[in-house]
Amino acid sequence: MTTKDIEYEQVIYETPAPKVARIVMNRADRRNAQGITMTYDLDNAFKRACHDDQINVIILAAAGDHWNSGHDVSGEGPANPSPDQIVGLCGCFEGKGWDGPYCREREIYLEITERWRNAPKPVIAEIQGSVISGGLMLAWMCDLIVCSEDAKFRDATAVEMGIPGVEFFQHPYEMSVRQAKQWLMTGGWMTAQEAEQRGMVNLVVPIAELSARTLALAESIASRNPFTMKLVKQAMNFAQDQMGRKASMDFAFHLHQMGHMQAMLTNGFPIDIDSLPPVIRANVDKMIAARKAADA
């Protein structure tokens, strides 16, 4: 089965202009929370665009009022990818102890996002509304970010979950180290204007102009020599990696796993449930109760 034969459940694939693919996260009722289904829909859509010689630039957009609310913690949908979905070499998702969760997060959050970041074609994020925690990973793997004036960003993993940041730990390469520390330690919101000042986004535009301005940027880049654009991207990504980005991310990923294990040892669940907001805590309590009922 080719990538063109896939029918996506939570993604829309479209070509709004010649040489431009637009991948739309299509789960507006859940603020585009990313679960297993969306992850592998996205992976297939990126592969489809990258393998299409008629496409030079990719836009990553989202349906609804909010771009992405992070990892799906509802407990709905598949917990793990099926064997034919797995794209990495680590597949022991049912391993004992922390082996399973470690392999799962390495596949679906760290390695798959890193591969998207290194896509051979420029990727532009078209962002509106909220981008929370895991949603940041999807934004940060993009080469350019255009956001609406109402966009806002937050990593709540430290203050609400007992985890020192999302798995794709790009924080100190998106802003200064001190800004990143304060942002993580307080769990506050960053406005679109603050994100632009810190260098995290390229353009802030009125919401009514978001799609048009993003597409105009994509068309401008798509009109250039695609091989040259590929080289520009590879050169810039390599320069960032030489600054220690990849090594720092791998180290932070293991600290992320340590945070999960600490929570597991202290309260029997892989995040600090006592710090969770009431709505999320209610969902987690349901998940815990369902597990206990299944084990009874």
Side-chain angles (χ1 to χ4, degrees):
M1 181 179 289
T2 68
T3 54
K4 291 184 179 180
D5 296 326
I6 296 293
E7 292 186 8
Y8 304 116
E9 293 183 48
Q10 297 180 5
V11 158
I12 299 170
Y13 187 98
E14 56 191 22
T15 51
K19 302 181 181 180
V20 177
R22 187 170 183 261
I23 301 170
V24 184
M25 295 178 282
N26 189 32
R27 204 182 181 204
D29 59 325
R30 294 299 179 91
R31 298 183 176 181
N32 298 305
Q34 180 191 352
I36 292 294
T37 300
M38 179 179 284
T39 296
Y40 289 92
D41 275 0
L42 285 172
D43 189 62
N44 184 278
F46 277 117
K47 186 184 299 183
R48 174 178 175 179
C50 288
H51 289 187
D52 187 344
D53 292 339
Q54 301 304 310
I55 297 298
N56 289 357
V57 176
I58 304 165
I59 294 172
L60 179 60
D65 296 331
H66 299 281
W67 200 72
N68 193 283
S69 60
H71 300 338
D72 186 0
V73 295
S74 68
E76 300 176 1
N80 293 317
S82 61
D84 63 318
Q85 288 179 310
I86 298 171
V87 293
L89 297 178
C90 187
C92 47
F93 301 121
E94 301 297 335
K96 295 181 179 180
W98 200 249
D99 189 20
Y102 173 87
C103 288
R104 177 184 184 275
E105 293 214 337
R106 190 170 188 87
E107 157 83 4
I108 67 174
Y109 296 138
L110 180 63
E111 293 183 348
I112 208 166
T113 310
E114 180 72 7
R115 193 171 73 259
W116 297 339
R117 182 248 187 190
N118 292 318
K121 299 179 180 181
V123 181
I124 305 173
E126 177 190 318
I127 293 177
Q128 79 282 0
S130 301
V131 183
I132 303 173
S133 299
L136 293 165
M137 297 169 28
L138 297 173
W140 287 342
M141 67 86 181
C142 296
D143 302 295
L144 305 175
I145 298 177
V146 181
C147 68
S148 61
E149 293 172 330
D150 74 325
K152 55 184 180 179
F153 308 86
R154 184 179 187 230
D155 187 346
T157 54
V159 298
E160 293 182 354
M161 298 183 182
I163 310 297
V166 294
E167 294 89 345
F168 193 76
F169 195 84
Q170 187 84 2
H171 308 67
Y173 298 91
E174 298 291 341
M175 63 199 81
S176 76
V177 170
R178 286 190 176 85
Q179 289 171 334
K181 286 179 180 177
Q182 179 178 345
W183 194 44
L184 277 169
M185 290 177 178
T186 62
W189 287 97
M190 183 193 308
T191 66
Q193 294 72 25
E194 289 170 331
E196 184 179 32
Q197 292 169 2
R198 296 179 183 188
M200 197 177 87
V201 306
N202 297 87
L203 296 171
V204 178
V205 302
I207 182 67
E209 301 176 15
L210 177 61
S211 293
R213 294 283 293 274
T214 306
L215 182 58
L217 177 60
E219 289 183 292
S220 175
I221 297 172
S223 70
R224 315 300 176 180
N225 184 312
F227 185 67
T228 304
M229 297 301 99
K230 179 191 295 186
L231 296 182
V232 169
K233 177 169 179 173
Q234 289 180 339
M236 294 301 294
N237 281 4
F238 180 78
Q240 194 178 50
D241 288 347
Q242 291 300 102
M243 299 175 194
R245 183 203 67 92
K246 186 60 170 65
S248 297
M249 185 169 291
D250 287 342
F251 180 74
F253 177 77
H254 289 95
L255 293 180
H256 181 102
Q257 301 305 311
M258 187 181 297
H260 279 315
M261 288 186 283
Q262 170 69 5
M264 197 73 183
L265 289 170
T266 54
N267 59 37
F269 198 75
I271 57 176
D272 180 11
I273 58 177
D274 292 332
S275 299
L276 290 173
V279 174
I280 299 179
R281 175 63 187 268
N283 284 335
V284 170
D285 286 341
K286 291 179 182 177
M287 292 171 60
I288 294 174
R291 290 181 181 179
K292 289 181 178 178
D295 293 338

